[in-house]
Amino acid sequence: MQAADARGHGDRPWWWDAVCYQVDVGAFADGDGDGVGDLEGLRGRFGYLELLGVDAILLAGTAGLDPAAADFAELLAEAHDAEMRVMVALDVDPARADPRAVLEPWLAHGVDGFHLAPREDPAGAIRSVLAGYPDRVVIGAGDWHLSFNLDLTIAGFAAESLRKVITGALGGPGPRTAWAMATRDSRRSRDDAALTPVRAMALVQLALPGAVCLRHGEELGLPGTERIPMPWEGDLPPFGFSRAAGDWSAIPAEWAAFTVESQLEDEQSTLSLYRHALETRSSHPAFTGDEVEWFGAPEDCFAFRRVGSSLICALNTSPAPVPLPPGELLLSSRPVDGDDLPPGTAAWLV
């Protein structure tokens, strides 16, 4: 089950550096017009997921979803045709329930993996279920294929704290890391200054060795941890999430500036930054290496290189500009002025 097992087989598995996109199904897109997101709505937005460039969809909020249902089979087939994997977040406690009864139906119907809550697997019950499905993956906080890691969020926007959690996560012999950054910002709106660390941390996260877990709306810079309906288009709530009439006052009217439609053609938008970053990450030969080495950097800054590659990621969390490391600039979270990295900015160089 551990990453070390995969290293012994030569070719790396599909999940090794995958970008997983968590969809809270009920809040993503309403396909049948009842005001609640569903699989039909998700399938209707597959073009967006392909445009974004994710490798896997992680379905959350799936209570009541039947793995044998026709709509799930259709979603799975369309995702696989688009070369995207489908995973499911499940609450499986092997101490109170039989994992085989919960997991086997999903595995038998072709799901590619799971996000599981338990940290431990008493008597190897979950591992025994997965033994017959060697290409499937488990993400979780425990000793699974991918270790779900929120330490980048906990560290805050401070270079030294971030360096410590990165070193700690990559320094041990445990599973491959799956980096996640569920925001702690509970405000209902964001201004440009509030988006600055969000954009910088996106580049830090995507530069690191390991998989990445994005939560839907993260790529739009949406504020808050409570996920309310995804804003797609238009000037008024529910911004294309549903055609149902009703009270949509829970969706802030100022989210008109965060919709997919408003950001898609704006090269300076947060969505465009994520799209460019994901495309570069998947296609540029510099994104290799399973370790990082650190360079000397000014106070409240850091720069690391992925060992075995030419990729350098630099971050400035100080209040003043600092010199960029030498190299060709691939991407930056904010416009770079000459040879200096502005405050609150991250950059990729080769």
Side-chain angles (χ1 to χ4, degrees):
M1 289 292 294
Q2 295 192 24
D5 298 329
R7 289 192 184 100
H9 294 289
D11 292 340
R12 289 178 171 175
W14 65 265
W15 45 264
W16 194 255
D17 286 307
V19 175
C20 305
Y21 187 80
Q22 178 180 317
V23 172
D24 297 308
V25 176
F28 191 66
D30 173 19
D32 61 12
D34 67 353
V36 179
D38 47 44
L39 295 187
E40 180 185 346
L42 172 56
R43 286 170 48 216
R45 298 293 182 174
F46 263 14
Y48 171 73
L49 300 183
E50 292 183 84
L51 193 68
L52 185 58
V54 299
D55 301 302
I57 308 163
L58 173 58
L59 303 180
T62 57
L65 181 62
D66 181 1
D71 56 354
F72 179 73
E74 292 169 1
L75 181 142
L76 195 65
E78 289 189 30
H80 288 171
D81 286 345
E83 299 185 348
M84 284 187 284
R85 308 278 181 153
V86 177
M87 305 172 66
V88 180
L90 296 176
D91 185 10
V92 179
D93 185 350
R96 293 195 307 269
D98 176 13
R100 185 169 297 277
V102 178
L103 301 179
E104 183 69 41
W106 293 101
L107 293 166
H109 285 89
V111 78
D112 298 293
F114 303 100
H115 188 295
L116 300 182
R119 291 178 175 270
E120 299 179 352
D121 184 16
I126 294 175
R127 285 171 172 78
S128 68
V129 180
L130 292 163
Y133 301 91
D135 61 335
R136 313 301 168 87
V137 62
V138 174
I139 301 176
D143 190 20
W144 306 111
H145 297 88
L146 290 169
S147 178
F148 188 76
N149 189 305
L150 281 167
D151 288 351
L152 293 178
T153 300
I154 297 169
F157 194 59
E160 186 56 32
S161 297
L162 290 165
R163 175 172 172 163
K164 287 179 180 177
V165 301
I166 292 169
T167 301
L170 297 179
R176 186 80 165 166
T177 301
W179 303 99
M181 288 198 309
T183 177
R184 289 175 175 266
D185 182 359
S186 61
R187 290 176 293 176
R188 288 165 60 89
S189 63
R190 269 194 179 136
D191 56 18
D192 194 60
L195 277 171
T196 294
V198 172
R199 293 168 61 99
M201 288 305 301
L203 292 196
V204 172
Q205 178 189 31
L206 290 167
L208 290 167
V212 170
C213 294
L214 304 177
R215 192 176 183 185
H216 88 244
E218 188 174 333
E219 75 280 11
L220 302 178
L222 291 180
T225 56
E226 180 182 350
R227 189 58 64 228
I228 53 181
M230 178 84 164
W232 293 101
E233 63 251 345
D235 298 322
L236 296 173
F239 300 116
F241 165 76
S242 173
R243 61 181 183 273
D247 180 9
W248 296 105
S249 59
I251 307 176
E254 57 266 30
W255 278 22
F258 287 95
T259 66
V260 172
E261 179 184 56
S262 68
Q263 295 195 47
L264 202 55
E265 301 301 326
D266 179 2
E267 283 295 310
Q268 302 305 314
S269 71
T270 302
L271 175 57
S272 291
L273 176 69
Y274 269 90
R275 286 182 60 202
H276 291 318
L278 292 181
E279 181 181 9
T280 304
R281 188 179 190 270
S282 67
S283 62
H284 199 285
F287 285 78
T288 59
D290 297 330
E291 300 175 357
V292 300
E293 62 178 0
W294 300 91
F295 298 111
E299 187 176 0
D300 295 325
C301 302
F302 69 54
F304 66 77
R305 182 177 69 87
R306 289 199 36 179
V307 175
S309 82
S310 58
L311 176 70
I312 295 172
C313 178
L315 173 69
N316 179 7
T317 66
S318 78
V322 298
L324 275 167
E328 174 191 353
L329 182 67
L330 285 181
L331 190 62
S332 60
S333 62
R334 289 294 190 193
V336 168
D337 183 16
D339 295 327
D340 286 338
L341 186 65
T345 304
W348 292 349
L349 306 100
V350 292

PDB file of all heavy atoms in Angstrom, residues 1-13 15-16 127 130-131 134-136 143-146 173-176:
ATOM      1  N   MET A   1       0.806  -1.213   0.000  1.00  0.00           N
ATOM      2  CA  MET A   1       0.000   0.000   0.000  1.00  0.00           C
ATOM      3  C   MET A   1       0.841   1.266   0.000  1.00  0.00           C
ATOM      4  O   MET A   1       0.375   2.312  -0.359  1.00  0.00           O
ATOM      5  CB  MET A   1      -0.916   0.031   1.224  1.00  0.00           C
ATOM      6  CG  MET A   1      -2.058  -0.960   1.180  1.00  0.00           C
ATOM      7  SD  MET A   1      -3.255  -0.548  -0.070  1.00  0.00           S
ATOM      8  CE  MET A   1      -3.914   0.973   0.572  1.00  0.00           C
ATOM      9  N   GLN A   2       2.086   1.196   0.424  1.00  0.00           N
ATOM     10  CA  GLN A   2       2.890   2.403   0.542  1.00  0.00           C
ATOM     11  C   GLN A   2       3.555   2.761  -0.774  1.00  0.00           C
ATOM     12  O   GLN A   2       3.694   1.953  -1.675  1.00  0.00           O
ATOM     13  CB  GLN A   2       3.961   2.219   1.617  1.00  0.00           C
ATOM     14  CG  GLN A   2       3.373   2.058   3.017  1.00  0.00           C
ATOM     15  CD  GLN A   2       4.433   2.158   4.072  1.00  0.00           C
ATOM     16  OE1 GLN A   2       5.477   2.762   3.845  1.00  0.00           O
ATOM     17  NE2 GLN A   2       4.188   1.580   5.215  1.00  0.00           N
ATOM     18  N   ALA A   3       3.995   4.019  -0.854  1.00  0.00           N
ATOM     19  CA  ALA A   3       4.656   4.493  -2.061  1.00  0.00           C
ATOM     20  C   ALA A   3       5.909   3.688  -2.359  1.00  0.00           C
ATOM     21  O   ALA A   3       6.285   3.508  -3.507  1.00  0.00           O
ATOM     22  CB  ALA A   3       5.003   5.976  -1.910  1.00  0.00           C
ATOM     23  N   ALA A   4       6.585   3.213  -1.319  1.00  0.00           N
ATOM     24  CA  ALA A   4       7.796   2.430  -1.526  1.00  0.00           C
ATOM     25  C   ALA A   4       7.520   1.189  -2.360  1.00  0.00           C
ATOM     26  O   ALA A   4       8.355   0.742  -3.141  1.00  0.00           O
ATOM     27  CB  ALA A   4       8.389   2.021  -0.175  1.00  0.00           C
ATOM     28  N   ASP A   5       6.309   0.610  -2.222  1.00  0.00           N
ATOM     29  CA  ASP A   5       5.956  -0.554  -3.016  1.00  0.00           C
ATOM     30  C   ASP A   5       5.930  -0.207  -4.498  1.00  0.00           C
ATOM     31  O   ASP A   5       6.353  -0.971  -5.349  1.00  0.00           O
ATOM     32  CB  ASP A   5       4.580  -1.075  -2.600  1.00  0.00           C
ATOM     33  CG  ASP A   5       4.572  -1.514  -1.136  1.00  0.00           C
ATOM     34  OD1 ASP A   5       5.622  -1.966  -0.648  1.00  0.00           O
ATOM     35  OD2 ASP A   5       3.517  -1.396  -0.508  1.00  0.00           O
ATOM     36  N   ALA A   6       5.405   0.984  -4.818  1.00  0.00           N
ATOM     37  CA  ALA A   6       5.303   1.384  -6.216  1.00  0.00           C
ATOM     38  C   ALA A   6       6.674   1.643  -6.816  1.00  0.00           C
ATOM     39  O   ALA A   6       6.912   1.369  -7.992  1.00  0.00           O
ATOM     40  CB  ALA A   6       4.431   2.642  -6.321  1.00  0.00           C
ATOM     41  N   ARG A   7       7.603   2.188  -6.009  1.00  0.00           N
ATOM     42  CA  ARG A   7       8.925   2.490  -6.542  1.00  0.00           C
ATOM     43  C   ARG A   7       9.634   1.230  -7.042  1.00  0.00           C
ATOM     44  O   ARG A   7      10.448   1.286  -7.941  1.00  0.00           O
ATOM     45  CB  ARG A   7       9.787   3.142  -5.446  1.00  0.00           C
ATOM     46  CG  ARG A   7       9.374   4.555  -5.092  1.00  0.00           C
ATOM     47  CD  ARG A   7      10.447   5.202  -4.227  1.00  0.00           C
ATOM     48  NE  ARG A   7      10.043   6.506  -3.787  1.00  0.00           N
ATOM     49  CZ  ARG A   7       9.557   6.770  -2.591  1.00  0.00           C
ATOM     50  NH1 ARG A   7       9.384   5.808  -1.727  1.00  0.00           N
ATOM     51  NH2 ARG A   7       9.214   7.989  -2.252  1.00  0.00           N
ATOM     52  N   GLY A   8       9.292   0.095  -6.444  1.00  0.00           N
ATOM     53  CA  GLY A   8       9.982  -1.129  -6.805  1.00  0.00           C
ATOM     54  C   GLY A   8       9.560  -1.711  -8.126  1.00  0.00           C
ATOM     55  O   GLY A   8      10.126  -2.699  -8.566  1.00  0.00           O
ATOM     56  N   HIS A   9       8.568  -1.137  -8.794  1.00  0.00           N
ATOM     57  CA  HIS A   9       8.029  -1.713 -10.016  1.00  0.00           C
ATOM     58  C   HIS A   9       8.402  -0.926 -11.261  1.00  0.00           C
ATOM     59  O   HIS A   9       7.783  -1.107 -12.311  1.00  0.00           O
ATOM     60  CB  HIS A   9       6.502  -1.838  -9.906  1.00  0.00           C
ATOM     61  CG  HIS A   9       6.080  -2.821  -8.853  1.00  0.00           C
ATOM     62  ND1 HIS A   9       6.242  -4.163  -8.978  1.00  0.00           N
ATOM     63  CD2 HIS A   9       5.513  -2.627  -7.633  1.00  0.00           C
ATOM     64  CE1 HIS A   9       5.782  -4.789  -7.892  1.00  0.00           C
ATOM     65  NE2 HIS A   9       5.352  -3.872  -7.063  1.00  0.00           N
ATOM     66  N   GLY A  10       9.378  -0.051 -11.164  1.00  0.00           N
ATOM     67  CA  GLY A  10       9.831   0.658 -12.360  1.00  0.00           C
ATOM     68  C   GLY A  10       8.915   1.816 -12.702  1.00  0.00           C
ATOM     69  O   GLY A  10       9.053   2.909 -12.171  1.00  0.00           O
ATOM     70  N   ASP A  11       7.972   1.590 -13.614  1.00  0.00           N
ATOM     71  CA  ASP A  11       7.060   2.650 -14.022  1.00  0.00           C
ATOM     72  C   ASP A  11       6.223   3.125 -12.854  1.00  0.00           C
ATOM     73  O   ASP A  11       5.690   2.324 -12.079  1.00  0.00           O
ATOM     74  CB  ASP A  11       6.135   2.146 -15.138  1.00  0.00           C
ATOM     75  CG  ASP A  11       6.888   1.882 -16.423  1.00  0.00           C
ATOM     76  OD1 ASP A  11       7.998   2.431 -16.587  1.00  0.00           O
ATOM     77  OD2 ASP A  11       6.364   1.117 -17.243  1.00  0.00           O
ATOM     78  N   ARG A  12       6.073   4.429 -12.762  1.00  0.00           N
ATOM     79  CA  ARG A  12       5.304   4.976 -11.654  1.00  0.00           C
ATOM     80  C   ARG A  12       3.813   4.906 -11.947  1.00  0.00           C
ATOM     81  O   ARG A  12       3.390   5.043 -13.088  1.00  0.00           O
ATOM     82  CB  ARG A  12       5.736   6.420 -11.403  1.00  0.00           C
ATOM     83  CG  ARG A  12       7.132   6.462 -10.806  1.00  0.00           C
ATOM     84  CD  ARG A  12       7.624   7.853 -10.584  1.00  0.00           C
ATOM     85  NE  ARG A  12       8.862   7.823  -9.816  1.00  0.00           N
ATOM     86  CZ  ARG A  12       9.579   8.900  -9.539  1.00  0.00           C
ATOM     87  NH1 ARG A  12       9.194  10.072  -9.981  1.00  0.00           N
ATOM     88  NH2 ARG A  12      10.684   8.795  -8.835  1.00  0.00           N
ATOM     89  N   PRO A  13       2.998   4.711 -10.907  1.00  0.00           N
ATOM     90  CA  PRO A  13       1.556   4.599 -11.120  1.00  0.00           C
ATOM     91  C   PRO A  13       0.942   5.937 -11.500  1.00  0.00           C
ATOM     92  O   PRO A  13       1.544   6.999 -11.303  1.00  0.00           O
ATOM     93  CB  PRO A  13       1.041   4.112  -9.756  1.00  0.00           C
ATOM     94  CG  PRO A  13       2.079   4.573  -8.782  1.00  0.00           C
ATOM     95  CD  PRO A  13       3.392   4.536  -9.503  1.00  0.00           C
ATOM     96  N   TRP A  15      -1.183   7.757 -10.186  1.00  0.00           N
ATOM     97  CA  TRP A  15      -1.481   8.706  -9.121  1.00  0.00           C
ATOM     98  C   TRP A  15      -0.255   9.395  -8.542  1.00  0.00           C
ATOM     99  O   TRP A  15      -0.377  10.264  -7.681  1.00  0.00           O
ATOM    100  CB  TRP A  15      -2.226   7.984  -7.986  1.00  0.00           C
ATOM    101  CG  TRP A  15      -1.647   6.654  -7.597  1.00  0.00           C
ATOM    102  CD1 TRP A  15      -2.051   5.423  -8.048  1.00  0.00           C
ATOM    103  CD2 TRP A  15      -0.569   6.410  -6.678  1.00  0.00           C
ATOM    104  NE1 TRP A  15      -1.295   4.424  -7.454  1.00  0.00           N
ATOM    105  CE2 TRP A  15      -0.382   5.001  -6.611  1.00  0.00           C
ATOM    106  CE3 TRP A  15       0.246   7.228  -5.899  1.00  0.00           C
ATOM    107  CZ2 TRP A  15       0.598   4.403  -5.802  1.00  0.00           C
ATOM    108  CZ3 TRP A  15       1.216   6.637  -5.098  1.00  0.00           C
ATOM    109  CH2 TRP A  15       1.382   5.249  -5.055  1.00  0.00           C
ATOM    110  N   TRP A  16       0.935   9.053  -9.009  1.00  0.00           N
ATOM    111  CA  TRP A  16       2.177   9.508  -8.379  1.00  0.00           C
ATOM    112  C   TRP A  16       2.267  11.031  -8.270  1.00  0.00           C
ATOM    113  O   TRP A  16       2.621  11.576  -7.223  1.00  0.00           O
ATOM    114  CB  TRP A  16       3.357   8.946  -9.168  1.00  0.00           C
ATOM    115  CG  TRP A  16       4.681   9.032  -8.483  1.00  0.00           C
ATOM    116  CD1 TRP A  16       5.690   9.897  -8.765  1.00  0.00           C
ATOM    117  CD2 TRP A  16       5.165   8.199  -7.417  1.00  0.00           C
ATOM    118  NE1 TRP A  16       6.769   9.664  -7.948  1.00  0.00           N
ATOM    119  CE2 TRP A  16       6.465   8.622  -7.111  1.00  0.00           C
ATOM    120  CE3 TRP A  16       4.607   7.140  -6.702  1.00  0.00           C
ATOM    121  CZ2 TRP A  16       7.224   8.018  -6.105  1.00  0.00           C
ATOM    122  CZ3 TRP A  16       5.369   6.543  -5.706  1.00  0.00           C
ATOM    123  CH2 TRP A  16       6.663   6.986  -5.422  1.00  0.00           C
ATOM    124  N   ARG A 127      -6.910  -3.166   3.264  1.00  0.00           N
ATOM    125  CA  ARG A 127      -5.878  -3.618   2.332  1.00  0.00           C
ATOM    126  C   ARG A 127      -6.247  -4.953   1.673  1.00  0.00           C
ATOM    127  O   ARG A 127      -5.953  -5.186   0.507  1.00  0.00           O
ATOM    128  CB  ARG A 127      -4.543  -3.749   3.054  1.00  0.00           C
ATOM    129  CG  ARG A 127      -3.886  -2.401   3.332  1.00  0.00           C
ATOM    130  CD  ARG A 127      -2.677  -2.550   4.236  1.00  0.00           C
ATOM    131  NE  ARG A 127      -1.946  -1.301   4.360  1.00  0.00           N
ATOM    132  CZ  ARG A 127      -2.330  -0.295   5.143  1.00  0.00           C
ATOM    133  NH1 ARG A 127      -3.426  -0.405   5.862  1.00  0.00           N
ATOM    134  NH2 ARG A 127      -1.626   0.821   5.205  1.00  0.00           N
ATOM    135  N   LEU A 130      -8.487  -4.317  -1.247  1.00  0.00           N
ATOM    136  CA  LEU A 130      -7.811  -3.687  -2.383  1.00  0.00           C
ATOM    137  C   LEU A 130      -6.760  -4.584  -3.029  1.00  0.00           C
ATOM    138  O   LEU A 130      -6.260  -4.254  -4.109  1.00  0.00           O
ATOM    139  CB  LEU A 130      -7.150  -2.390  -1.930  1.00  0.00           C
ATOM    140  CG  LEU A 130      -8.124  -1.271  -1.529  1.00  0.00           C
ATOM    141  CD1 LEU A 130      -7.416  -0.217  -0.714  1.00  0.00           C
ATOM    142  CD2 LEU A 130      -8.763  -0.654  -2.762  1.00  0.00           C
ATOM    143  N   ALA A 131      -6.445  -5.701  -2.386  1.00  0.00           N
ATOM    144  CA  ALA A 131      -5.361  -6.553  -2.890  1.00  0.00           C
ATOM    145  C   ALA A 131      -5.615  -7.038  -4.318  1.00  0.00           C
ATOM    146  O   ALA A 131      -4.685  -7.209  -5.099  1.00  0.00           O
ATOM    147  CB  ALA A 131      -5.162  -7.743  -1.957  1.00  0.00           C
ATOM    148  N   PRO A 134      -4.796  -3.826  -8.022  1.00  0.00           N
ATOM    149  CA  PRO A 134      -3.496  -3.184  -7.806  1.00  0.00           C
ATOM    150  C   PRO A 134      -3.363  -1.792  -8.408  1.00  0.00           C
ATOM    151  O   PRO A 134      -2.471  -1.046  -8.035  1.00  0.00           O
ATOM    152  CB  PRO A 134      -2.503  -4.157  -8.458  1.00  0.00           C
ATOM    153  CG  PRO A 134      -3.320  -4.918  -9.451  1.00  0.00           C
ATOM    154  CD  PRO A 134      -4.680  -5.046  -8.848  1.00  0.00           C
ATOM    155  N   ASP A 135      -4.238  -1.416  -9.338  1.00  0.00           N
ATOM    156  CA  ASP A 135      -4.128  -0.099  -9.959  1.00  0.00           C
ATOM    157  C   ASP A 135      -4.993   0.952  -9.270  1.00  0.00           C
ATOM    158  O   ASP A 135      -5.065   2.094  -9.720  1.00  0.00           O
ATOM    159  CB  ASP A 135      -4.495  -0.176 -11.441  1.00  0.00           C
ATOM    160  CG  ASP A 135      -5.927  -0.640 -11.658  1.00  0.00           C
ATOM    161  OD1 ASP A 135      -6.464  -1.335 -10.767  1.00  0.00           O
ATOM    162  OD2 ASP A 135      -6.520  -0.290 -12.701  1.00  0.00           O
ATOM    163  N   ARG A 136      -5.673   0.582  -8.177  1.00  0.00           N
ATOM    164  CA  ARG A 136      -6.530   1.530  -7.479  1.00  0.00           C
ATOM    165  C   ARG A 136      -5.728   2.201  -6.362  1.00  0.00           C
ATOM    166  O   ARG A 136      -4.755   1.648  -5.868  1.00  0.00           O
ATOM    167  CB  ARG A 136      -7.755   0.827  -6.902  1.00  0.00           C
ATOM    168  CG  ARG A 136      -8.460  -0.111  -7.888  1.00  0.00           C
ATOM    169  CD  ARG A 136      -8.958   0.584  -9.166  1.00  0.00           C
ATOM    170  NE  ARG A 136      -9.350  -0.383 -10.175  1.00  0.00           N
ATOM    171  CZ  ARG A 136     -10.549  -0.937 -10.282  1.00  0.00           C
ATOM    172  NH1 ARG A 136     -11.493  -0.628  -9.403  1.00  0.00           N
ATOM    173  NH2 ARG A 136     -10.815  -1.788 -11.250  1.00  0.00           N
ATOM    174  N   ASP A 143      -1.594   5.736   6.612  1.00  0.00           N
ATOM    175  CA  ASP A 143      -0.508   5.116   5.860  1.00  0.00           C
ATOM    176  C   ASP A 143      -1.052   4.443   4.598  1.00  0.00           C
ATOM    177  O   ASP A 143      -1.023   3.223   4.455  1.00  0.00           O
ATOM    178  CB  ASP A 143       0.196   4.097   6.761  1.00  0.00           C
ATOM    179  CG  ASP A 143       1.482   3.569   6.140  1.00  0.00           C
ATOM    180  OD1 ASP A 143       2.012   4.243   5.238  1.00  0.00           O
ATOM    181  OD2 ASP A 143       1.943   2.498   6.556  1.00  0.00           O
ATOM    182  N   TRP A 144      -1.541   5.271   3.670  1.00  0.00           N
ATOM    183  CA  TRP A 144      -2.127   4.758   2.431  1.00  0.00           C
ATOM    184  C   TRP A 144      -1.183   4.999   1.261  1.00  0.00           C
ATOM    185  O   TRP A 144      -0.021   5.356   1.451  1.00  0.00           O
ATOM    186  CB  TRP A 144      -3.490   5.416   2.195  1.00  0.00           C
ATOM    187  CG  TRP A 144      -4.421   5.288   3.347  1.00  0.00           C
ATOM    188  CD1 TRP A 144      -4.855   6.277   4.182  1.00  0.00           C
ATOM    189  CD2 TRP A 144      -5.027   4.078   3.836  1.00  0.00           C
ATOM    190  NE1 TRP A 144      -5.692   5.772   5.148  1.00  0.00           N
ATOM    191  CE2 TRP A 144      -5.819   4.427   4.954  1.00  0.00           C
ATOM    192  CE3 TRP A 144      -4.987   2.742   3.432  1.00  0.00           C
ATOM    193  CZ2 TRP A 144      -6.559   3.487   5.666  1.00  0.00           C
ATOM    194  CZ3 TRP A 144      -5.722   1.809   4.131  1.00  0.00           C
ATOM    195  CH2 TRP A 144      -6.494   2.179   5.233  1.00  0.00           C
ATOM    196  N   HIS A 145      -1.676   4.858   0.035  1.00  0.00           N
ATOM    197  CA  HIS A 145      -0.832   5.151  -1.126  1.00  0.00           C
ATOM    198  C   HIS A 145      -0.383   6.620  -1.094  1.00  0.00           C
ATOM    199  O   HIS A 145       0.791   6.936  -1.306  1.00  0.00           O
ATOM    200  CB  HIS A 145      -1.599   4.929  -2.432  1.00  0.00           C
ATOM    201  CG  HIS A 145      -2.043   3.526  -2.671  1.00  0.00           C
ATOM    202  ND1 HIS A 145      -3.241   3.043  -2.214  1.00  0.00           N
ATOM    203  CD2 HIS A 145      -1.455   2.507  -3.341  1.00  0.00           C
ATOM    204  CE1 HIS A 145      -3.375   1.781  -2.588  1.00  0.00           C
ATOM    205  NE2 HIS A 145      -2.305   1.428  -3.275  1.00  0.00           N
ATOM    206  N   LEU A 146      -1.352   7.515  -0.856  1.00  0.00           N
ATOM    207  CA  LEU A 146      -1.087   8.949  -0.801  1.00  0.00           C
ATOM    208  C   LEU A 146      -1.535   9.491   0.548  1.00  0.00           C
ATOM    209  O   LEU A 146      -2.664   9.231   0.997  1.00  0.00           O
ATOM    210  CB  LEU A 146      -1.845   9.679  -1.915  1.00  0.00           C
ATOM    211  CG  LEU A 146      -1.357   9.439  -3.344  1.00  0.00           C
ATOM    212  CD1 LEU A 146      -2.350  10.007  -4.363  1.00  0.00           C
ATOM    213  CD2 LEU A 146       0.023  10.059  -3.563  1.00  0.00           C
ATOM    214  N   PRO A 173      10.227   8.308   5.387  1.00  0.00           N
ATOM    215  CA  PRO A 173      10.081   7.168   4.487  1.00  0.00           C
ATOM    216  C   PRO A 173       8.635   6.805   4.187  1.00  0.00           C
ATOM    217  O   PRO A 173       8.375   5.792   3.564  1.00  0.00           O
ATOM    218  CB  PRO A 173      10.752   6.033   5.273  1.00  0.00           C
ATOM    219  CG  PRO A 173      10.454   6.385   6.704  1.00  0.00           C
ATOM    220  CD  PRO A 173      10.476   7.892   6.784  1.00  0.00           C
ATOM    221  N   GLY A 174       7.682   7.583   4.636  1.00  0.00           N
ATOM    222  CA  GLY A 174       6.275   7.226   4.533  1.00  0.00           C
ATOM    223  C   GLY A 174       5.712   7.325   3.131  1.00  0.00           C
ATOM    224  O   GLY A 174       6.454   7.417   2.146  1.00  0.00           O
ATOM    225  N   PRO A 175       4.392   7.330   3.019  1.00  0.00           N
ATOM    226  CA  PRO A 175       3.737   7.355   1.708  1.00  0.00           C
ATOM    227  C   PRO A 175       4.012   8.642   0.938  1.00  0.00           C
ATOM    228  O   PRO A 175       4.473   9.641   1.500  1.00  0.00           O
ATOM    229  CB  PRO A 175       2.249   7.242   2.055  1.00  0.00           C
ATOM    230  CG  PRO A 175       2.188   6.815   3.481  1.00  0.00           C
ATOM    231  CD  PRO A 175       3.435   7.293   4.119  1.00  0.00           C
ATOM    232  N   ARG A 176       3.726   8.609  -0.327  1.00  0.00           N
ATOM    233  CA  ARG A 176       3.783   9.797  -1.183  1.00  0.00           C
ATOM    234  C   ARG A 176       2.805  10.838  -0.652  1.00  0.00           C
ATOM    235  O   ARG A 176       1.703  10.511  -0.210  1.00  0.00           O
ATOM    236  CB  ARG A 176       3.401   9.387  -2.603  1.00  0.00           C
ATOM    237  CG  ARG A 176       3.530  10.464  -3.667  1.00  0.00           C
ATOM    238  CD  ARG A 176       4.934  10.621  -4.103  1.00  0.00           C
ATOM    239  NE  ARG A 176       5.056  11.387  -5.353  1.00  0.00           N
ATOM    240  CZ  ARG A 176       6.193  11.877  -5.784  1.00  0.00           C
ATOM    241  NH1 ARG A 176       7.304  11.697  -5.082  1.00  0.00           N
ATOM    242  NH2 ARG A 176       6.267  12.528  -6.928  1.00  0.00           N
TER     243      ARG A 176
END
